[in-house]
Amino acid sequence: MSAVTAPKRRFGGMYGGNARAIIERGFKATMTNNYLIILSGFFEPVFYLFSMGVGLGGIIGTIDLNGTEISYGAYIAPALLAVSAMNGAIYDSTWNVFFKLNFAKLYQTMLLTSLGPLDVAIGEITLALLRGGIYAVGFLTVMSIMGLALSPLAIFAIPVVILIAAGFASVGMAFTSYMKTFQQMDWLPLVMLPMFLFSATFYPISIYPEPIQVLVQCFPLWHGVELVRMFTTGVFTAAAWGHLAYFVVMLGTGVIVVARRLRSLFLR
Amino acid sequence: MSHSVIRAVNLTKKYDDFVAVDGISFEVARGESFGLLGPNGAGKSTTMKMIASVSTRTSGELTVLDLDPNVDGPAIRSQLGVVPQEDNLDGELRVRENLLTYGRFFGLSRAEAGKRADELLEFAQLSDRANSKVEPLSGGMKRRLTIARSLMNDPQMLLLDEPTTGLDPQARHILWDRLFRLKEQGTTLVLTTHYMDEAEQLSDRIVVVDKGQIMAEGSPAELIRTYSTREVLEVRYGSDKNVSVAALIADVGERQEVLPDRILIYSDNGEQDLAEITRRGHHPTTSLVRRSSLEDVFLRLTGRSLVE
Ligand SMILES: Nc1ncnc2c1ncn2[C@@H]1O[C@H](COP(=O)(O)OP(=O)(O)OP(=O)(O)O)[C@@H](O)[C@H]1O
Ligand SMILES: [Mg+2]
């Protein structure tokens, strides 16, 4: 008899119940190869915080947030916190996944074992969100040291930021699962950069005309920025529920698309 | 539990309009060693993938270890060892880590996976490369590592898609020996190969496939008896003369195959045929009388030689 017990049937053969092993493999691969590279993405929002928050903030002074005056640095810091979560999650779930999917053929190997596509989806998305989470915790630390976390509730920004990272990771991987060439991957910055610049990151979106505001509100980063800002400033509105719901739906949709896509790519 | 570990009835796989596997039916008994033999593009790998439940059949029935691959992929694969045609090792991990993580994918404990990894490194003669990266390994070493990896979960059934392609003769013989021992312990083997000697050594039963269909089925000896003669006479006259000479000696032996580099004459007495040809004044540059092999069966059935 084999040393391995057969997993139960779950989701019609889509799930082997062992996504943990994929996460473990991810850690091992990172440790073997590129644990310094993993840090590089962390610094980008930190540099923005220094240059814009400290530099530009000195000129701008304070900003009005739903009736509360806060420093410019404290205004953009939570936005950059959301961005750092997004960056970590997106980097892992797009470029790394693209490589594993099209060059390393890693998922084919995983699917020769008792793992199913859902294990792969959950495992890889978790790795990406962990990276986003690590960036975010680091960033929150920097922010706190600089006195930019105004509310004691800022600590609860961590689970929120992890949810945001999860949303980005799952959609990032879903997107990548359709990409076949480097040229197609080049579309990514074309979405990411404007989203970064225009999502109430550096100024309130009320300066835009109505239709542009609506457009910005369709994109996930705006919801992330607004949500995180509530936690670090302590200025909450009921819209928080909407933002949370946005990320829950984003995560759920992403996981389902990825699992289906992996199934049609590798088990067709 | 039924006695067959694989049961395929009218198994069919289409890629869009192209039929890669065209309604094949076969059964494999527990502990049996079963070979799929066929030329390039015959549908061997596609069949293997369907058995490994990493490719979904288009129609027909397929049962593997009493389960349906369409819905029980993880459970089936937990009992399989799969050696794909192309090594797909994890280049981000080192040699031993490749085995370890693979074992962990099956849910083995770290201790168990570590123990098996060390045993299998020994078996694959890669113990001294345990901490090397995968990329600099030679082709044969990678193949051995892939085979070692397939044994991490101590499978009930091994699927080997051209397992020894790229191995040197010594490594092949060591692998055959090891596979033979696994078979003795009750492991079911399903293999595809281009090597006749490998098929004869390892398979209790063979199906010859071509263009997605089964052409013949039987033990190596049965196939040779049914589809070939006892002996084969090979004569060579040089590539420009083979065809013209063949026409003149067409009546010698039971059957003739003209290949670009030689003429094969099938009969029960090769020496006698050679004497007859020589008597007629057609002295070959070289000649050879040998026993029929699976290669001849293959040539007869598909009109092609196996190793292209
Ligand atoms: N993913 C795929 N999409 C489309 N066609 C495919 C796919 N995989 C295999 N085929 C086609 O199916 C046919 C059978 O392929 P398969 O790989 O099963 O052959 P094989 O018998 O293993 O050949 P070889 O000896 O060369 O490995 C081939 O014509 C191949 O082009
Ligand atoms: Mg093949």
Side-chain angles (χ1 to χ4, degrees):
Chain A
M1 258 303 123
S2 160
V4 175
T5 41
K8 287 194 290 286
R9 182 189 300 169
R10 299 185 186 93
F11 300 103
M14 292 280 279
Y15 187 47
N18 192 14
R20 200 168 13 104
I22 289 171
I23 299 168
E24 195 178 299
R25 184 243 157 234
F27 281 136
K28 216 171 252 167
T30 310
M31 287 309 159
T32 314
N33 300 289
N34 47 4
Y35 66 97
L36 279 179
I37 292 175
I38 202 173
L39 291 179
S40 67
F42 166 73
F43 290 104
E44 193 184 298
V46 174
F47 292 151
Y48 273 101
L49 184 64
F50 288 156
S51 79
M52 310 282 256
V54 180
L56 207 56
I59 303 168
I60 294 172
T62 62
I63 229 169
D64 174 80
L65 183 70
N66 297 316
T68 313
E69 289 287 320
I70 59 170
S71 76
Y72 185 65
Y75 180 82
I76 67 165
L80 292 168
L81 175 55
V83 167
S84 69
M86 172 179 86
N87 280 356
I90 286 291
Y91 184 85
D92 236 28
S93 66
T94 57
W95 283 109
N96 281 352
V97 166
F98 183 73
F99 173 76
K100 292 175 189 170
L101 200 60
N102 294 301
F103 298 97
K105 313 274 182 210
L106 186 65
Y107 304 139
Q108 277 100 317
T109 305
M110 290 175 170
L111 292 175
L112 293 179
T113 70
S114 50
L115 298 170
L118 199 54
D119 299 88
V120 177
I122 294 173
E124 292 288 288
I125 289 169
T126 307
L127 279 168
L129 82 86
L130 283 177
R131 179 147 171 192
I134 290 167
Y135 283 12
V137 169
F139 191 86
L140 188 60
T141 311
V142 174
M143 232 175 111
S144 309
I145 293 167
M146 291 171 72
L148 298 174
L150 306 180
S151 160
L153 290 177
I155 189 74
F156 293 108
I158 292 175
V160 167
V161 152
I162 286 173
L163 174 66
I164 293 172
F168 277 107
S170 70
V171 167
M173 189 166 175
F175 162 85
T176 308
S177 69
Y178 287 93
M179 298 296 113
K180 292 266 166 267
T181 65
F182 283 103
Q183 283 80 358
Q184 291 171 322
M185 288 298 282
D186 281 340
W187 286 96
L188 196 61
L190 224 59
V191 179
M192 300 302 292
L193 187 62
M195 189 159 68
F196 167 55
L197 291 174
F198 302 131
S199 296
T201 340
F202 298 111
Y203 46 84
I205 59 167
S206 54
I207 67 146
Y208 300 131
E210 184 75 26
I212 305 278
Q213 288 190 28
V214 173
L215 181 67
V216 169
Q217 289 171 344
C218 291
F219 284 89
L221 186 58
W222 177 77
H223 295 273
V225 167
E226 290 288 302
L227 190 59
V228 174
R229 193 170 276 144
M230 290 184 198
F231 280 89
T232 65
T233 59
V235 183
F236 286 88
T237 70
W241 296 111
H243 301 315
L244 281 172
Y246 187 103
F247 282 102
V248 171
V249 171
M250 191 174 169
L251 171 63
T253 313
V255 172
I256 292 168
V257 172
V258 170
R260 290 220 173 137
R261 189 69 191 137
L262 290 177
R263 187 194 177 113
S264 68
L265 281 174
F266 301 126
L267 304 180
R268 84 178 191 127
Chain B
M1 229 181 213
S2 88
H3 143 100
S4 317
V5 283
I6 305 176
R7 209 176 132 261
V9 182
N10 265 324
L11 183 61
T12 300
K13 177 74 189 182
K14 291 184 188 165
Y15 292 109
D16 301 321
D17 282 343
F18 179 81
V19 187
V21 173
D22 192 3
I24 63 175
S25 304
F26 61 89
E27 288 197 30
V28 178
R30 183 174 297 280
E32 191 182 18
S33 132
F34 180 78
L36 284 165
L37 213 58
N40 293 129
K44 303 182 296 293
S45 297
T46 307
T47 305
M48 292 293 250
K49 283 180 192 159
M50 285 191 281
I51 298 169
S53 65
V54 292
S55 175
T56 313
R57 63 184 184 270
T58 311
S59 63
E61 282 172 48
L62 180 63
T63 315
V64 182
L65 300 168
D66 292 318
L67 297 169
D68 177 354
N70 277 358
V71 289
D72 273 318
I76 291 173
R77 291 192 301 266
S78 74
Q79 309 303 315
L80 298 187
V82 183
V83 178
Q85 188 167 357
E86 276 164 39
D87 299 318
N88 48 358
L89 295 162
D90 191 336
E92 288 184 291
L93 299 178
R94 294 169 192 284
V95 168
R96 186 168 181 276
E97 290 172 339
N98 258 275
L99 298 180
L100 272 181
T101 38
Y102 201 75
R104 297 285 289 159
F105 290 161
F106 284 103
L108 292 182
S109 71
R110 266 190 210 94
E112 178 75 23
K115 190 169 139 269
R116 285 203 62 79
D118 291 331
E119 285 168 13
L120 289 168
L121 282 173
E122 196 67 38
F123 151 66
Q125 299 164 295
L126 288 170
S127 300
D128 54 331
R129 303 299 291 264
N131 290 314
S132 149
K133 295 222 168 193
V134 167
E135 211 269 310
L137 296 184
S138 77
M141 289 174 177
K142 285 183 185 157
R143 198 67 187 146
R144 272 152 33 201
L145 184 57
T146 306
I147 293 163
R149 192 183 66 179
S150 75
L151 296 169
M152 276 302 288
N153 60 328
D154 194 7
Q156 290 186 37
M157 172 153 71
L158 257 185
L159 304 182
L160 303 144
D161 199 348
E162 299 186 21
T164 62
T165 302
L167 294 188
D168 63 35
Q170 194 202 353
R172 282 175 79 198
H173 282 282
I174 291 171
L175 180 71
W176 289 353
D177 176 58
R178 173 73 185 218
L179 290 177
F180 200 76
R181 271 188 278 160
L182 286 171
K183 181 173 143 50
E184 281 178 334
Q185 291 160 22
T187 308
T188 309
L189 304 181
V190 179
L191 82 150
T192 77
T193 182
H194 285 289
Y195 300 118
M196 292 302 118
D197 49 350
E198 185 158 288
E200 293 195 37
Q201 288 267 336
L202 291 178
S203 319
D204 301 327
R205 198 156 54 88
I206 289 170
V207 294
V208 179
V209 282
D210 190 23
K211 302 193 180 85
Q213 293 177 330
I214 292 182
M215 314 290 291
E217 176 175 347
S219 70
E222 278 166 8
L223 286 173
I224 292 169
R225 218 178 308 127
T226 314
Y227 295 98
S228 194
T229 49
R230 211 169 63 87
E231 291 188 341
V232 188
L233 166 64
E234 296 194 5
V235 284
R236 294 170 197 255
Y237 293 92
S239 48
D240 46 340
K241 281 171 68 189
N242 281 339
V243 175
S244 53
V245 177
L248 300 172
I249 56 173
D251 58 319
V252 181
E254 285 181 27
R255 204 165 52 79
Q256 197 189 60
E257 290 277 358
V258 189
L259 301 182
D261 61 333
R262 67 209 135 119
I263 304 168
L264 304 182
I265 293 160
Y266 290 93
S267 75
D268 286 332
N269 191 337
E271 290 298 347
Q272 200 178 312
D273 293 340
L274 181 58
E276 171 63 18
I277 293 171
T278 321
R279 192 186 62 77
R280 294 190 195 177
H282 306 297
H283 295 277
T285 41
T286 62
S287 67
L288 166 75
V289 176
R290 58 168 175 82
R291 295 191 145 267
S292 267
S293 72
L294 281 175
E295 177 81 44
D296 301 296
V297 173
F298 195 79
L299 196 60
R300 170 86 185 267
L301 287 169
T302 68
R304 261 168 296 170
S305 83
L306 246 195
V307 185
E308 293 179 355

